[in-house]
Amino acid sequence: MLEFKRHGTAGLLLLLTLSLLPGVAVAEISVTRGSASAPAQQTGNTPEWVYTLRSGETLNDIAQALLIDHASLGQLVQYNNLASNAAASAGDQIRIPLNWLKRQPEPAKASSVTGNVLHVSGSTGQKSPLSANAIIRVGDEVISAAGSATIVLADGSELRMAPNSRLIFNRLTQYGKAGMADTRLRLQRGEVHTRVKPVMEQGSRFEIETPSAVAAVRGTVFSMQATASGSSVQITEGIVDFGRPGQTRRIPAGYGASVSTAGSAPMNIRRLPPAPVLNPIAPVLKQLPAELSWQADGANRYRVDIFEENSGAWLQSRDLSDIRFDISQLDNGRYDIHLAALDPQGITGMPAIASVEVDLQARTPDLVSPEEGQAVDDDMPEFHWQLNGTNEIARVEIADDEDFRRLITSSEWAPDNRALPSRPLSPGQYYWRVVSEAGGNSVATSATRTLVVNGTLPPVRIISINYIDSQVRVFWERVDTAKDYRLQLAEEPTFNNIIKEANVADTTAALRLIPGRRYFVRVKALSDGPLASRWGPGRELYLD
């Protein structure tokens, strides 16, 4: 077992706390100085990282994975007062000065984007729409107009940008594989909701700067705003050091603070309004709108924010003067609804959170008209149906085959019960049905009906005839709405005596004729339904 310096009670408690956090390496910060020489000058207040070896790891593995080039395995062994041939095993702890650790830029990623959000490259200045899964690097900016974005940092911390915000990523650094990060952002204007993963004293760092203040965070949930008149912060969980640079105060959960751009004005620290008391709401909503209500508590205004649980997308934000809110316009999924009272300055208080699942189910529509097999003279017939579910949208689909593999046209998705096709229908027989959708992913399909659009197909004109020995090949025009063609061969131009008749799927046919005799050929188009074109003009055929 490796020997190491004993830490105080505070360090032990910190170690135990960190060991319970998911995804955080079992490690702590020590303020004990090393007794060996170091590649860089060590001082009494230089922080250390205490790393606990995992199963299968060796000291050499740790040195290669965590140390900068100027720090060697030998120096690490000497710093920890170990024998040169010491064997390490799982659970042993190694002290490493922070300035020996590798530092690497770790980009952030946009986990969700709603509406119009702009991404500005810090290296090229190029502007492009921010999309989900886009990589955000040091120096980049994200500017939200009417949209919003959720951004996840390398350590799992999450930023939710409100509309009309501008956020600059000044530093995104991670200490190798040690799990510590140094993140520094600038909120030039607007608002962010931030959930920061717990960080360790004198190790990881998370700061958001505004034109008038700075917020240093050690693992917390908070909101921050920046305007032309000043900056403010509201802490939901944890602690934030907030204020003008060099003049910060420690603000605990349940409190908010603000500073103005006027340098002489003191910081305003106040208790946030308490979380409203929500009335019971069903955890699964089978239909929308559904009412969210709460008990009156003397506040004049409230704010409701709706976030998608999986992606963190910020979907809705409303200010209300009522004590009820209609939940609507949500697809199927799980959501967190945050409700907070607004104080007289318009600052949000502590949130009450309702977690709900929307589970809307589409039901099979009933067809009304046209009737089965009905023939209509209108090439834009109206289709009518009855929806049987709630919060449904529907469209009519029209195909020329019963399996709807060849969709001819459809109507637009709408919550209506009648529609016209998006383009005129040529004469012929069609199949139609209605598809309904609820919640974005639940679909139901009606029964299928046939429809005949009256009219005639255009006549077919023969365009060329080729003679090869005793064979004649006839070519004719294509009719877009035709399925097949009927060809007739006769020995007189009146076609009273038909000597050959056949259906042809293509626009050409080969005929064998007796030399020295005259023939006449004509073609007409056939549809899937009862319609057919008139016979095209006949053409004379003759072989010498």
Side-chain angles (χ1 to χ4, degrees):
M1 191 75 164
L2 295 175
E3 294 182 359
F4 56 93
K5 291 190 177 182
R6 183 174 300 172
H7 298 276
T9 304
L12 178 59
L13 290 175
L14 182 58
L15 175 60
L16 293 175
T17 301
L18 293 173
S19 68
L20 297 176
L21 294 174
V24 177
V26 181
E28 66 173 2
I29 290 299
S30 169
V31 295
T32 306
R33 284 178 293 175
S35 58
S37 60
Q41 182 67 34
Q42 303 298 311
T43 63
N45 57 2
T46 299
E48 298 173 343
W49 178 254
V50 178
Y51 185 84
T52 301
L53 273 72
R54 301 185 178 103
S55 177
E57 285 185 322
T58 66
L59 291 178
N60 187 55
D61 295 333
I62 298 305
Q64 291 184 358
L66 300 183
L67 300 185
I68 59 177
D69 292 339
H70 300 300
S72 66
L73 173 61
Q75 290 168 322
L76 182 64
V77 169
Q78 186 179 9
Y79 189 89
N80 284 269
N81 296 320
L82 302 175
S84 60
N85 60 349
S89 59
D92 290 344
Q93 294 179 330
I94 300 297
R95 296 179 296 110
I96 309 173
L98 286 187
N99 60 1
W100 291 18
L101 292 171
K102 293 179 181 178
R103 295 190 179 195
Q104 302 171 356
E106 289 291 339
K109 184 172 73 171
S111 63
S112 69
V113 180
T114 303
N116 182 22
V117 182
L118 194 64
H119 182 197
V120 183
S121 170
S123 58
T124 66
Q126 182 177 358
K127 300 178 180 179
S128 60
L130 183 70
S131 58
N133 297 319
I135 299 300
I136 301 168
R137 305 184 187 280
V138 173
D140 289 1
E141 297 183 30
V142 176
I143 304 172
S144 62
S148 62
T150 300
I151 298 167
V152 178
L153 305 179
D155 66 351
S157 297
E158 184 179 80
L159 303 167
R160 293 170 172 170
M161 290 183 63
N164 303 310
S165 301
R166 179 185 176 191
L167 190 63
I168 304 169
F169 293 77
N170 287 332
R171 179 173 293 183
L172 298 169
T173 302
Q174 187 159 346
Y175 292 85
K177 292 173 57 179
M180 296 189 300
D182 186 355
T183 303
R184 304 184 198 182
L185 313 172
R186 182 176 178 86
L187 180 63
Q188 192 67 22
R189 68 171 185 271
E191 178 178 0
V192 291
H193 284 204
T194 307
R195 182 180 296 274
V196 180
K197 286 295 182 70
V199 300
M200 279 142 277
E201 292 286 346
Q202 303 186 51
S204 293
R205 181 175 181 178
F206 187 101
E207 288 185 358
I208 299 182
E209 178 190 12
T210 72
S212 57
V214 63
V217 183
R218 289 183 175 87
T220 184
V221 178
F222 73 102
S223 301
M224 192 171 186
Q225 299 82 28
T227 66
S229 59
S231 303
S232 57
V233 67
Q234 304 86 44
I235 295 85
T236 303
E237 299 176 12
I239 296 173
V240 173
D241 291 337
F242 173 79
R244 294 185 181 89
Q247 304 176 31
T248 61
R249 297 275 301 275
R250 184 153 291 188
I251 313 299
Y255 283 81
S258 59
V259 296
S260 70
T261 52
S264 59
M267 183 191 305
N268 179 16
I269 302 175
R270 59 198 174 277
R271 184 183 291 273
L272 297 175
V277 178
L278 293 172
N279 294 325
I281 184 172
V284 180
L285 305 179
K286 293 293 186 179
Q287 64 181 44
L288 295 180
E291 184 179 86
L292 177 72
S293 63
W294 52 95
Q295 299 178 21
D297 55 8
N300 294 322
R301 290 193 301 150
Y302 299 88
R303 176 166 163 177
V304 174
D305 295 292
I306 301 180
F307 302 96
E308 189 176 44
E309 185 179 277
N310 290 336
S311 67
W314 195 343
L315 302 180
Q316 296 182 30
S317 183
R318 303 281 181 83
D319 286 358
L320 308 168
S321 57
D322 203 353
I323 56 171
R324 58 182 54 84
F325 171 73
D326 280 345
I327 304 169
S328 61
Q329 300 177 339
L330 294 178
D331 286 340
N332 288 345
R334 299 191 63 86
Y335 302 90
D336 289 331
I337 304 176
H338 292 212
L339 171 71
L342 297 176
D343 69 11
Q345 289 75 38
I347 299 300
T348 57
M350 296 294 288
I353 302 176
S355 295
V356 299
E357 179 182 0
V358 177
D359 185 19
L360 308 178
Q361 296 298 316
R363 299 181 61 184
T364 303
D366 294 327
L367 303 185
V368 177
S369 64
E371 297 288 346
E372 164 60 26
Q374 182 176 339
V376 297
D377 295 325
D378 190 355
D379 62 357
M380 291 283 286
E382 183 179 65
F383 298 87
H384 183 200
W385 61 89
Q386 182 64 48
L387 293 175
N388 294 313
T390 59
N391 305 104
E392 290 183 317
I393 57 175
R395 74 173 186 175
V396 62
E397 296 181 344
I398 304 166
D400 63 4
D401 68 304
E402 192 171 3
D403 296 328
F404 285 81
R405 287 190 295 267
R406 298 187 301 274
L407 197 65
I408 299 299
T409 187
S410 65
S411 65
E412 298 295 329
W413 288 102
D416 304 323
N417 60 7
R418 59 183 68 232
L420 300 175
S422 58
R423 67 176 181 84
L425 300 176
S426 301
Q429 176 175 284
Y430 298 94
Y431 299 87
W432 70 280
R433 66 186 182 185
V434 173
V435 179
S436 63
E437 180 188 280
N441 59 11
S442 178
V443 175
T445 305
S446 73
T448 299
R449 286 184 180 178
T450 59
L451 170 73
V452 175
V453 178
N454 291 328
T456 58
L457 300 178
V460 179
R461 184 174 66 89
I462 295 174
I463 54 177
S464 66
I465 297 173
N466 292 344
Y467 294 92
I468 303 176
D469 298 329
S470 62
Q471 186 173 344
V472 178
R473 180 163 289 276
V474 182
F475 299 87
W476 57 86
E477 293 176 329
R478 178 179 300 278
V479 176
D480 290 338
T481 55
K483 179 185 178 183
D484 295 309
Y485 300 89
R486 177 70 56 82
L487 180 144
Q488 286 184 343
L489 186 67
E491 291 186 320
E492 73 284 336
T494 59
F495 288 86
N496 290 324
N497 183 22
I498 305 300
I499 60 175
K500 185 175 182 58
E501 186 171 23
N503 287 353
V504 182
D506 204 352
T507 56
T508 181
L511 303 172
R512 288 192 175 275
L513 304 179
I514 300 174
R517 297 176 64 173
R518 295 187 182 276
Y519 298 90
F520 296 87
V521 63
R522 65 181 181 181
V523 180
K524 72 175 180 179
L526 303 176
S527 73
D528 272 334
L531 302 181
S533 74
R534 299 185 303 275
W535 287 105
R539 291 284 297 269
E540 182 178 359
L541 307 176
Y542 180 78
L543 280 176
D544 291 333

